[in-house]
Amino acid sequence: MGELTAKQTSGQQARIGWIGTGVMGVSMCGHLMDAGCAATVFNRTRAKAQPLLDKGAAWAESPRAVAQASDVVFTIVGYPEDVRRVYLAEDGVLAGLRPGAIAVDMTTTSPSLAVEIDLAARKIGAHTLDAPVSGGDVGARNAALSIMVGGEAEAFQAVRPLLERMGRIIVHQGAAGAGQHTKMCNQIVIAGSMIGVCESLLYATRAGLDPEVMLQSIAKGAAGCWSLENLAPRILRGDFAPGFMIEHFIKDMGIALDEAGRMGLVLPGLELVRGLYAESARAGHGRQGTQALFLALQNLAAAPGN
Amino acid sequence: MGELTAKQTSGQQARIGWIGTGVMGVSMCGHLMDAGCAATVFNRTRAKAQPLLDKGAAWAESPRAVAQASDVVFTIVGYPEDVRRVYLAEDGVLAGLRPGAIAVDMTTTSPSLAVEIDLAARKIGAHTLDAPVSGGDVGARNAALSIMVGGEAEAFQAVRPLLERMGRIIVHQGAAGAGQHTKMCNQIVIAGSMIGVCESLLYATRAGLDPEVMLQSIAKGAAGCWSLENLAPRILRGDFAPGFMIEHFIKDMGIALDEAGRMGLVLPGLELVRGLYAESARAGHGRQGTQALFLALQNLAAAPGN
């Protein structure tokens, strides 16, 4: 494999590429540019890259062209099929990545796909890391993300200075795919918390409690969790705007269940929650925040037969 | 109804009764005795009351006899049927409670039963409160419980100085039964967290992650919760000793589901988790801690067909 370059490992003046300039990507790439990196960017919808172009980023016409111009390429796109196309298509990242270059996929995607891309990169002497994040758009804006990294330790060490510009908790989790597996662990816990929190609030309102007062009693003890602290208040004021969108959560849970199936695991809680969110999406709530599970449960209760 | 007495409302030198001297009860009653209360105690198994008798508590031969000797009676026993017997049997609390006296049930029990007992107490001019707790034996020992109170506001204000000797978060949740409903809300959130945490750890181990390292990435973000912080480490070192016992959790979830059914609510997450714990109890894990759900899920994965 190609040698890692001094520019990669010092981080500061690396030539970076950025593919995927949604809300998260614009903030994250912006932090790297603020740190002195020269950036070449690509996005399916060019208009979304404008804030970075205004900041001095160069535009490239394809993921391949981004890779040709960069020492380290970052990607954060939507679905596994988008990641596959961005990396493996004819004009994809791997078609342009030079030996010794590093590509870091920060999309939440399939661990198996991360392994597949890693193998393909090795064949051309390049390096890849899977490095999904948690912390959402607020975490991206404040450079406060948790970044979960899978792949070779050397490549991780090389890009670590760059990751530190974007996140606060940066942990190497193991070989290729381990970053994605860790993100799945994160989503599995959240799925459980969400159903617990939503069922609890539904019970409280139906039982005639004042849910705000109920929360005073339970929020600091064994029921305490991020979802209760951050999403319960939104549910109670009828705010179902995304934070994290239901259709993206369905994607993540689907990936986790696919991987679980491959490993011979049964995850009945995750299956149940995925099913409820899928119903919710079918009912038109797919672009609401995950806290809208509350509405899906409310509908269950109102369904004929209850 | 009988007037509340000055002794009740000042708290300090009230004559208290205590029924149910398990691990929690001994600590809680002990705090009241330390505060200067004279105590009369009863327990099905007398030996368990010995620490309180050694401290100067008087023994009574029945719940009725306790009530006859007390201004405020506290009860914390096992199951709803125990509460029913302690309050409503011929030699029960209500047979001895004088007009104006207050009985406070700190057992986690059925909200409907709390309402039933409250109605029966009103007929004799006495007051009852339902005041279940969270925080476990450690919370009881450190007087750090959360106490969730249902019943008349005046009776709550009267015993508040006594409750403050036992807990840190003391909230009046509403009319009779509201304390129990609030505790159900607490247990419903915990049920969701537990399945999320256990499925996540199972996924992590099966995916070949180092679960301790995985936790570093996820514990401080949106997956963060009490169960992850406190129970995940126990699971990872194979420690399934109770904290909170599975068979008691099954009781609580059963109560919540019964009440939900009465209210026309469907709680699929809680139903699923209760079912998994019930299997776990049938497999002989009923007296292990709730974190042993991990073992039940592990067994699912190992079952033929997977």
Side-chain angles (χ1 to χ4, degrees):
Chain A
M1 257 184 241
E3 290 293 305
L4 299 167
T5 72
K7 279 186 183 172
Q8 286 165 347
T9 52
S10 75
Q12 300 300 318
Q13 280 81 40
R15 294 183 312 156
I16 64 148
W18 198 281
I19 295 163
T21 55
V23 179
M24 306 266 305
V26 163
S27 293
M28 293 158 79
C29 181
H31 294 310
L32 295 182
M33 293 179 73
D34 292 343
C37 294
T40 304
V41 304
F42 172 81
N43 195 56
R44 210 162 39 182
T45 311
R46 179 171 172 156
K48 290 193 185 165
Q50 199 57 50
L52 294 171
L53 300 178
D54 291 346
K55 228 177 150 82
W59 175 257
E61 288 298 336
S62 69
R64 179 177 53 192
V66 170
Q68 284 166 338
S70 308
D71 304 311
V72 184
V73 178
F74 294 90
T75 55
I76 183 162
V77 293
Y79 289 81
E81 56 268 29
D82 301 319
V83 173
R84 178 179 293 280
R85 197 170 46 238
V86 160
Y87 276 86
L88 302 176
E90 255 180 57
D91 62 349
V93 169
L94 291 195
L97 212 58
R98 283 162 306 131
I102 304 174
V104 184
D105 183 25
M106 306 189 81
T107 318
T108 295
T109 178
S110 148
S112 301
L113 178 57
V115 170
E116 185 185 337
I117 289 171
D118 184 64
L119 286 175
R122 284 165 186 263
K123 287 192 186 147
I124 58 166
H127 309 261
T128 64
L129 296 168
D130 49 299
V133 303
S134 76
D137 44 349
V138 176
R141 201 159 53 236
N142 300 333
L145 296 167
S146 169
I147 308 179
M148 313 159 210
V149 188
E152 289 167 84
E154 280 172 19
F156 168 66
Q157 289 307 338
V159 300
R160 192 182 183 122
L162 296 171
L163 299 179
E164 282 169 352
R165 294 286 173 172
M166 299 185 269
R168 238 176 245 162
I169 300 175
I170 296 149
V171 183
H172 185 230
Q173 290 289 347
Q180 297 297 347
H181 277 311
T182 302
K183 180 67 187 282
M184 293 303 123
C185 291
N186 188 70
Q187 304 306 70
I188 294 169
V189 175
I190 291 173
S193 303
M194 283 309 303
I195 191 151
V197 166
C198 290
E199 291 189 352
S200 177
L201 290 176
L202 191 58
Y203 181 105
T205 50
R206 194 65 74 95
L209 296 177
D210 179 335
E212 310 267 9
V213 179
M214 179 278 281
L215 290 174
Q216 291 170 23
S217 281
I218 78 167
K220 302 289 176 202
C225 60
W226 187 96
S227 304
L228 198 67
E229 199 168 313
N230 292 276
L231 298 181
R234 294 191 205 173
I235 293 170
L236 294 178
R237 61 175 186 261
D239 171 6
F240 297 104
F244 185 52
M245 223 181 260
I246 283 179
E247 56 189 35
H248 294 155
F249 196 31
I250 292 173
K251 171 197 77 164
D252 295 356
M253 290 187 284
I255 293 168
L257 285 166
D258 284 350
E259 292 288 327
R262 265 180 219 124
M263 301 188 286
L265 270 186
V266 186
L267 302 177
L270 187 64
E271 271 172 33
L272 173 74
V273 175
R274 203 252 309 239
L276 290 167
Y277 274 110
E279 278 175 44
S280 182
R282 279 192 296 273
H285 301 297
R287 301 187 75 80
Q288 290 190 312
T290 52
Q291 71 273 25
L293 178 61
F294 179 83
L295 301 175
L297 291 165
Q298 208 169 32
N299 289 343
L300 272 188
N306 288 307
Chain B
M1 258 186 240
E3 290 293 306
L4 298 168
T5 72
K7 280 185 183 172
Q8 288 165 346
T9 51
S10 75
Q12 300 299 317
Q13 278 83 39
R15 295 181 313 156
I16 64 146
W18 199 280
I19 295 164
T21 56
V23 178
M24 307 266 304
V26 163
S27 292
M28 293 158 79
C29 180
H31 293 311
L32 295 181
M33 293 179 71
D34 292 343
C37 294
T40 304
V41 304
F42 172 80
N43 195 56
R44 209 160 42 180
T45 311
R46 179 170 173 157
K48 289 191 185 165
Q50 200 57 50
L52 294 171
L53 301 177
D54 291 346
K55 228 176 149 84
W59 175 258
E61 288 298 335
S62 69
R64 178 175 55 192
V66 170
Q68 284 166 340
S70 308
D71 303 311
V72 184
V73 178
F74 294 90
T75 56
I76 183 162
V77 295
Y79 289 81
E81 55 267 30
D82 301 319
V83 173
R84 178 179 292 282
R85 197 169 47 239
V86 160
Y87 276 86
L88 302 176
E90 254 181 54
D91 62 349
V93 168
L94 292 195
L97 212 58
R98 284 160 307 132
I102 305 174
V104 185
D105 183 27
M106 305 188 83
T107 318
T108 295
T109 179
S110 150
S112 301
L113 178 58
V115 170
E116 183 185 339
I117 290 171
D118 184 62
L119 286 175
R122 284 165 184 265
K123 286 193 187 146
I124 59 167
H127 310 261
T128 64
L129 296 167
D130 49 298
V133 302
S134 75
D137 44 348
V138 176
R141 200 159 56 237
N142 300 333
L145 296 167
S146 169
I147 309 179
M148 313 158 210
V149 189
E152 292 167 82
E154 282 174 17
F156 168 66
Q157 289 305 339
V159 301
R160 191 182 182 122
L162 296 172
L163 298 178
E164 281 170 352
R165 295 286 173 172
M166 298 184 271
R168 240 177 243 161
I169 300 174
I170 296 149
V171 182
H172 185 230
Q173 290 289 348
Q180 297 297 347
H181 278 310
T182 302
K183 180 67 187 280
M184 292 303 122
C185 291
N186 188 70
Q187 305 304 72
I188 294 168
V189 176
I190 291 173
S193 303
M194 284 308 304
I195 192 151
V197 167
C198 290
E199 289 189 353
S200 176
L201 291 176
L202 192 57
Y203 180 103
T205 51
R206 194 64 75 95
L209 296 177
D210 178 334
E212 310 267 9
V213 179
M214 179 276 281
L215 290 174
Q216 290 170 25
S217 282
I218 78 167
K220 302 290 177 201
C225 60
W226 188 96
S227 303
L228 198 68
E229 197 168 314
N230 291 275
L231 299 180
R234 293 191 206 175
I235 292 169
L236 294 178
R237 61 175 185 262
D239 172 6
F240 298 104
F244 184 53
M245 223 180 259
I246 283 179
E247 56 188 33
H248 294 155
F249 196 32
I250 293 173
K251 171 197 78 163
D252 296 355
M253 290 187 283
I255 293 168
L257 286 167
D258 285 351
E259 293 288 328
R262 265 179 220 127
M263 301 188 286
L265 269 187
V266 186
L267 302 177
L270 186 64
E271 269 173 34
L272 173 74
V273 176
R274 203 252 308 243
L276 290 167
Y277 273 111
E279 278 175 44
S280 181
R282 280 193 294 275
H285 300 298
R287 302 187 74 80
Q288 290 190 314
T290 50
Q291 71 273 25
L293 177 62
F294 179 82
L295 301 175
L297 291 166
Q298 209 169 32
N299 289 341
L300 273 188
N306 287 308

